[in-house]
């Protein structure tokens, strides 16, 4: 008889039973983006129309804030490595709460709005690496994708609901809105203060662990994440102006809601499959999905906007989760530092997309063919990823015995990392 194999646990079996702290953390993963996205998506409108800032100034402020929010994650990971996961999350929430309170005060003193916005982004940068590391602390490799995808689903649900709640009030009653969000963050901060510390979350016991913000970086997942965010943020940055021009702002909201729903539903269900998928195959599937979605968007019809958004979202579901899992597998650093490094890659990619993509979109707009912008983006999705093959060869690991399973988790292929470290 053939050897009997134990089936891999399903999503429900992987997640449950949840401890009280993990239930609270998943709830916070919904509540925090809910509060944040009651404010942040409307900041360009608020700064321009309510506080009277010029659009050029608003653009610079938002670009700096985005770079801080993403790339600052590497500092958040290092801080969590030094002072612990719970303390880092708590300090991050204190900083973010102060930022939202500053927006309330900016109604009386407008220049304070810029510093308040930067504060909220600093808090986000500090919080997310520690949050992800706490969520998967002590969780075995087979269950980690389920926990990460559940956290991502909660985050996307909060991002989807927040603007729906706040839209009617951001210009008519911003004071009440900022006060409500500040109170919400105070309550979440108080809850985090009651979380237990995680055993061994400090790095004092790892005398031989590499130090420095970039030490021990998994180069290929870092580069792949930067490229994935660079390409994805063509969609994130420029879909609004493209969709509103061809449909309406309401239809643009429908496209975003579809994308959020796909992440919430599909990623947790597909997390086990993504974990088992060879890394090279995951990169191919993800980037081809992005390319197909960008090409479909070029048609410019309502159906194309929906289909293109769906294809791009399915591609990023595979890429973003697999890059995080592969970075955890390849790096000897703590989870928080790894997540921080991956956030830095995301920030660099998103920033490059804003700069280079903006030039391309402006060129297409002046030529009267903005559909060509999406075709050029699709071409990049197919032509740039092969450059990662050079990194793959440089960072190649010893072969796995049974076939081409690069990226699959094996007992002897984890750099001696202890789950949760």
């Amino acid at each position: 008889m053939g050897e009997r194999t134990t089936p891999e646990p399903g999503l429900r079996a992987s997640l449950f039973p949840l401890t009280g702290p993990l239930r609270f953390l998943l709830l916070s993963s919904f509540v925090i983006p809910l509060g944040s996205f009651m404010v942040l998506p409307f900041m360009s409108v608020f700064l321009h129309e309510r506080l009277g800032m010029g659009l050029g100034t608003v653009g610079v402020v938002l670009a700096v804030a985005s770079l801080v929010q993403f790339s600052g994650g590497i500092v958040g990971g290092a801080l969590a490595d030094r002072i612990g996961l719970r303390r880092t999350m708590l300090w991050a929430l204190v900083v973010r709460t102060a930022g939202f309170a500053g927006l309330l005060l900016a109604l009386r003193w407008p220049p304070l709005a810029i510093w308040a916005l930067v504060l909220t982004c600093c808090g986000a940068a500090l919080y997310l690496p520690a949050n992800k590391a706490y969520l998967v602390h002590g969780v075995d490799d087979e269950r980690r994708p389920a926990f990460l995808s559940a956290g991502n689903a909660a985050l996307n649900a909060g991002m989807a609901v927040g603007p729906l709640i706040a839209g009617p009030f951001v210009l008519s009653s911003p004071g009440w809105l900022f006060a409500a969000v500040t109170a919400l963050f105070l309550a979440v901060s108080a809850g985090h203060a009651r979380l237990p510390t995680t055993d061994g979350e400090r790095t004092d016991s790892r005398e031989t662990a590499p130090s420095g913000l970039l030490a021990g970086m998994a180069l290929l997942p870092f580069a792949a994440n930067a490229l994935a965010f660079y390409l994805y943020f063509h969609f994130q940055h420029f879909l609004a102006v493209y969709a509103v021009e061809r449909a309406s702002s309401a239809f643009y909201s429908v496209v975003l809601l579809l994308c959020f729903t796909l992440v919430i539903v599909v990623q947790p269900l597909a997390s086990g499959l993504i974990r088992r998928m060879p890394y090279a195959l995951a990169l191919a599937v993800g980037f081809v999905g992005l390319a197909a979605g960008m090409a479909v968007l070029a048609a410019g019809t309502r159906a194309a906007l929906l289909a293109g958004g769906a294809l791009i979202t399915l591609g990023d579901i595979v890429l973003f989760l697999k890059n995080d899992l592969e970075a955890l597998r390849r790096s000897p650093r703590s989870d928080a530092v790894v997540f921080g490094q991956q956030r830095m890659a995301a920030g660099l990619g998103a920033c490059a997309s804003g700069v280079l993509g903006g030039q391309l979109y402006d060129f297409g707009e002046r030529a009267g063919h903005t559909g060509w912008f999406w075709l050029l983006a699709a071409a990049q999705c197919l032509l740039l990823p092969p450059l990662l093959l050079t990194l793959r060869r440089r960072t190649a690991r010893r072969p796995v015995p049974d076939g081409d399973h690069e990226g699959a988790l094996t007992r002897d292929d984890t750099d001696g990392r202890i789950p949760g470290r």
Side-chain angles (χ1 to χ4, degrees), residues 130-376:
N131 168 274
K132 283 188 171 184
Y134 196 107
L135 192 62
V136 300
H137 180 82
V139 175
D140 59 67
D141 290 327
E142 287 74 17
R143 300 176 67 203
R144 283 183 161 208
F147 278 79
L148 285 176
S149 59
N152 289 339
L155 184 144
N156 278 271
M159 290 166 62
V161 175
L164 297 178
I165 295 175
F169 310 107
V170 70
L171 291 179
S172 61
S173 305
W176 288 105
L177 178 62
F178 295 156
V181 173
T182 301
L184 180 65
F185 270 82
L186 282 172
V188 173
S189 301
H192 278 69
R194 297 176 61 86
L195 284 174
T197 57
T198 54
D199 295 334
E201 68 175 28
R202 295 283 299 276
T203 58
D204 301 343
S205 60
R206 288 180 290 156
E207 301 291 341
T208 60
S211 59
L213 294 179
L214 300 179
M217 176 191 293
L219 184 58
L220 179 55
F222 181 90
N225 210 44
L227 180 58
F229 271 83
Y230 163 71
L231 295 170
Y232 172 73
F233 264 73
H234 283 65
F235 171 74
Q236 187 80 3
H237 284 314
F238 304 108
L239 180 66
V241 62
Y242 184 75
V244 170
E245 183 180 275
R246 284 158 179 75
S248 66
S249 58
F251 190 80
Y252 169 64
S253 299
V254 171
V255 175
L256 290 185
L257 186 60
L258 170 65
C259 296
F260 283 130
T261 302
L262 284 174
V263 175
I264 294 166
V265 174
V266 174
Q267 192 176 72
L269 295 175
S271 59
L273 175 63
I274 294 171
R275 182 192 72 85
R276 295 189 301 272
M277 192 180 293
Y279 190 37
L281 176 61
L283 292 178
V285 169
F287 285 118
V288 168
L290 292 183
M294 301 284 187
V296 169
L297 285 179
T301 64
R302 293 191 173 213
L305 293 174
L306 288 171
L311 287 168
I312 289 169
T313 302
L314 293 174
D316 82 59
I317 284 172
V318 176
L319 285 173
F320 296 166
L321 179 57
K322 189 62 176 182
N323 280 329
D324 277 354
L325 293 173
E326 190 67 9
L328 288 171
R329 183 182 74 86
R330 292 176 179 233
S331 175
R333 301 299 301 274
S334 70
D335 293 345
V337 170
V338 173
F339 287 129
Q341 291 172 343
Q342 291 297 96
R343 287 287 289 179
M344 180 181 181
L348 294 174
C351 184
S353 179
V355 174
L356 300 177
Q359 297 298 318
L360 288 175
Y361 197 92
D362 181 62
F363 174 78
E365 193 171 56
R366 284 188 283 109
H369 298 287
T370 48
W372 284 102
F373 168 80
W374 301 107
L375 294 177
L376 287 172

Side-chain angles (χ1 to χ4, degrees), residues 71-94:
S71 294
I74 196 167
V75 178
L79 183 64
D81 223 20
R82 179 173 295 274
I83 70 173
L85 302 177
R86 184 181 66 87
R87 286 184 185 175
T88 301
M89 288 190 291
L90 189 56
W91 278 111
L93 287 171
V94 169

Side-chain angles (χ1 to χ4, degrees), residues 1-5:
M1 294 180 63
E3 183 180 353
R4 180 173 297 177
T5 59

Side-chain angles (χ1 to χ4, degrees), residues 385-405:
L387 298 178
L388 295 174
L389 294 177
T390 59
L391 288 178
R392 182 185 176 190
R393 286 193 292 268
R394 288 178 55 191
T395 60
R397 308 176 65 83
R398 59 183 178 278
V400 179
D402 54 339
D404 180 17
H405 294 286

